[in-house]
Amino acid sequence: MENINWSELGFGYMKTNGNVRCEYHDGSWGKLEWHTDEYIQMHMAATCLHYGQEAFEGLKAFRGKDNKIRIFRLDENAKRLDSSCDGICMPKLPEGMFKEAVIEVVKKNVEFVPPYESGAALYIRPVLFGYTPQIGVNPAKDYLFIIFVSPVGPYFKGGFSTNPYVITRKYDRSAPLGTGIYKVGGNYAASLRAHEEAHKAGYSSEFYLDAKEKRYIDECGAANFFGIKDNTYVTPKSTSILPSITNKSLMQLAEDLGLKVERRPIPEEELSTFEEAGACGTAAVISPISRLDDLDNNKSYIFSKDGKPGPWSTKLYQKLRAIQYGDEPDTHNWVTIL
Ligand code: PLP
Ligand code: COI
């Protein structure tokens, strides 16, 4: 293992000791296996390559001051992968296998969990896909589940600092009755052009309205949205956004901190009433939004006048991180300690 500059890590892939895998054939899952090879060999007609039968997850492990490793909300990620599997006709993993696989891959790569002081974490990336060679559009008969890990720093440059976002009306990420609620690759393919264009124009990320009416807030690229006003944490209810586990946790923490919590459709006009706003997710943690531009209507929604994260976003961020790193008690039982 080479010398890693932990505090300079970005959000990228790094080779580690290995990955865990499990294969599905003839109607059942096999045993978990440890692999040091980063590559997989598959047939050129594999279903995932042509028809996108693929789902993934993203979660993190943190090293505390006490040197213990804590994995955040493992059970929630297991449930969401089950839901994604249902959503695109893939077999679910046997009960308990997700947890066992995550624990094994983290244990075997324990030296890649960044030190406490760095503020970095070990990103855990499970992926499950169909790979039967076939050209008919049908669910595959063979599947592969892999989990690899990589030490990562902040998703957005600068970590916990405000960033500008831009509303896109040109592209939809997912349809109201589509696959937006599942963590499947196709949603991300659908987002790439919007993301590239937003990036080129100097924004951190694109921002989606609902695909049907373009009236309500959906999400911020690969993260959920929340706004804060009148001591209330408001976050969208929509059939086309990913149910974020970070957002679910923040709703609970907001309540613990004495905020009211509302999960409901948020019309675009309401954006002008928020005192603070942010994007949230495993990779993004909380990424406070400085301003959201609506270029089609020559409008800007400003969520930070001095360019700094607002007081509630800061409190929520600190509370979440404190639980993840073990600085504060895990009163909701969110953490699995290795
Ligand atoms: N929305 C999308 C589209 C995402 O890709 C992610 C990242 O996983 C999120 C929201 C945030 O979800 P979570 O907090 O579970 O990571
Ligand atoms: C995550 O937050 O875990 C994500 O998956 C976001 C992105 C890297 C796809």
Side-chain angles (χ1 to χ4, degrees):
M1 186 178 157
E2 78 258 46
N3 262 347
I4 299 171
N5 191 351
W6 300 105
S7 48
E8 293 299 314
L9 283 175
F11 191 85
Y13 176 80
M14 182 185 290
K15 184 178 185 339
T16 59
N17 296 334
N19 51 85
V20 292
R21 301 184 187 186
C22 185
E23 290 178 31
Y24 179 98
H25 302 291
D26 302 322
S28 62
W29 286 100
K31 286 208 168 68
L32 272 184
E33 287 171 9
W34 171 252
H35 285 252
T36 52
D37 192 353
E38 293 165 280
Y39 289 86
I40 47 180
Q41 206 189 23
M42 68 166 114
H43 196 281
M44 61 191 170
T47 32
C48 60
L49 295 178
H50 300 262
Y51 307 127
Q53 207 191 11
E54 180 274 348
F56 67 100
E57 269 305 325
L59 62 162
K60 279 177 175 169
F62 304 85
R63 190 185 292 277
K65 237 184 241 166
D66 55 7
N67 212 28
K68 288 191 180 139
I69 313 275
R70 291 169 173 80
I71 306 170
F72 191 64
R73 307 212 74 171
L74 183 43
D75 301 330
E76 288 294 324
N77 288 89
K79 275 197 259 171
R80 195 171 60 191
L81 182 61
D82 277 355
S83 156
S84 297
C85 285
D86 270 344
I88 59 166
C89 300
M90 303 198 291
K92 286 191 259 196
L93 293 173
E95 183 77 33
M97 183 184 273
F98 185 90
K99 188 168 185 174
E100 186 189 340
V102 169
I103 290 174
E104 180 177 342
V105 75
V106 176
K107 276 192 175 157
K108 291 198 163 136
N109 286 296
V110 79
E111 68 270 38
F112 289 94
V113 185
Y116 172 79
E117 306 73 39
S118 66
L122 186 75
Y123 187 69
I124 304 165
R125 173 50 69 85
V127 60
L128 197 160
F129 52 87
Y131 69 136
T132 309
Q134 63 186 40
I135 48 175
V137 183
N138 300 300
K141 295 182 193 66
D142 308 276
Y143 294 85
L144 184 56
F145 171 59
I146 304 181
I147 310 185
F148 65 83
V149 295
S150 183
V152 295
Y155 189 59
F156 293 119
K157 265 191 236 134
F160 188 64
S161 56
T162 61
N163 282 297
Y165 288 69
V166 64
I167 291 176
T168 175
R169 287 190 181 77
K170 243 164 92 186
Y171 309 107
D172 295 320
R173 169 188 173 273
S174 67
L177 299 177
T179 55
I181 53 170
Y182 308 121
K183 203 163 168 65
V184 299
N187 299 335
Y188 298 82
S191 77
L192 291 175
R193 275 183 79 180
H195 191 71
E196 280 299 288
E197 289 180 19
H199 240 216
K200 276 201 193 113
Y203 297 97
S204 257
S205 175
E206 74 285 14
F207 190 98
Y208 295 100
L209 302 176
D210 76 282
K212 192 170 177 186
E213 294 186 82
K214 297 270 190 268
R215 269 196 65 201
Y216 297 97
I217 309 306
D218 254 3
E219 54 186 333
C220 327
N224 273 186
F225 171 84
F226 69 86
I228 293 174
K229 62 172 181 184
D230 307 329
N231 292 322
T232 309
Y233 178 102
V234 191
T235 194
K237 190 175 166 84
S238 161
T239 57
S240 49
I241 64 176
L242 192 75
S244 156
I245 295 160
T246 311
N247 196 7
K248 188 174 179 182
S249 311
L250 291 175
M251 283 188 253
Q252 178 64 58
L253 295 179
E255 219 175 275
D256 296 352
L257 290 169
L259 291 173
K260 266 199 337 202
V261 173
E262 291 176 8
R263 193 168 154 260
R264 57 169 169 81
I266 306 177
E268 189 200 331
E269 315 82 78
E270 196 180 338
L271 286 170
S272 60
T273 66
F274 290 120
E275 297 146 20
E276 297 176 39
C280 63
T282 299
V285 194
I286 287 181
S287 174
I289 303 178
S290 52
R291 79 171 199 276
L292 175 59
D293 288 350
D294 181 351
L295 300 176
D296 304 315
N297 295 303
N298 245 328
K299 246 196 295 190
S300 266
Y301 301 100
I302 311 285
F303 303 116
S304 167
K305 290 200 183 70
D306 57 3
K308 295 202 186 99
W312 283 113
S313 307
T314 306
K315 268 187 225 161
L316 286 165
Y317 176 83
Q318 287 169 345
K319 193 91 194 154
L320 177 69
R321 301 284 277 179
I323 294 170
Q324 291 175 329
Y325 283 94
D327 293 333
E328 280 187 28
D330 172 28
T331 49
H332 298 291
N333 273 322
W334 287 343
V335 160
T336 305
I337 301 184
L338 279 200

